[in-house]
Amino acid sequence: MSPKPFEIMRWESPKQPDQEFLGRMLQREGLQSESIELAARSQTPEMKFDRIVVMVPALGQLQVSFPGYGAIELDPGDILEINPGVLHDIIVTGSQPAIILQAFKNQ
């Protein structure tokens, strides 16, 4: 496990991915994702999970905050893996709703 609370892989293609493509990408990794929609300019409560959570924004801009560590910005296609037991929340920073594909990895 990484000493950081998360690992991130940035989407580097100039073409923005669509939700169907991202879902297939997660499925190829053996992950079953669910789609979560968050309202524009909203914030989730703080949360943590007992497994690795994989989040991939399909639409919108997000900020994921880690108390005591800082925050990171996510754009569509970025892949964020958060280690088990790590407290975090999500803020939708843009004026449009966000759609996140979320899946869990067994350790």
Side-chain angles (χ1 to χ4, degrees):
M1 186 181 333
S2 168
K4 291 192 298 184
F6 62 85
E7 294 292 331
I8 187 167
M9 288 182 11
R10 297 288 186 183
W11 180 260
E12 295 184 6
S13 173
K15 182 180 180 202
Q16 185 168 320
D18 65 22
Q19 185 173 341
E20 184 179 329
F21 174 84
L22 295 171
R24 286 193 315 267
M25 179 181 72
L26 290 171
Q27 198 169 32
R28 281 192 303 270
E29 295 296 319
L31 299 173
Q32 185 64 37
S33 65
E34 64 177 323
S35 176
I36 299 169
E37 185 168 343
L38 300 173
R41 303 196 192 288
S42 65
Q43 181 172 358
T44 67
E46 289 184 331
M47 60 189 126
K48 61 182 174 180
F49 299 99
D50 60 355
R51 295 182 286 168
I52 295 171
V53 62
V54 179
M55 283 192 262
V56 182
L59 181 68
Q61 274 74 41
L62 306 173
Q63 181 183 72
V64 182
S65 299
F66 300 92
Y69 185 81
I72 58 165
E73 303 288 330
L74 295 177
D75 292 312
D78 291 342
I79 302 170
L80 178 66
E81 290 189 11
I82 302 173
N83 287 326
V86 173
L87 195 61
H88 62 282
D89 66 11
I90 302 168
I91 300 168
V92 180
T93 56
S95 59
Q96 67 177 344
I99 296 175
I100 303 167
L101 297 182
Q102 179 174 284
F104 294 94
K105 280 186 174 181
N106 293 321
Q107 298 166 328

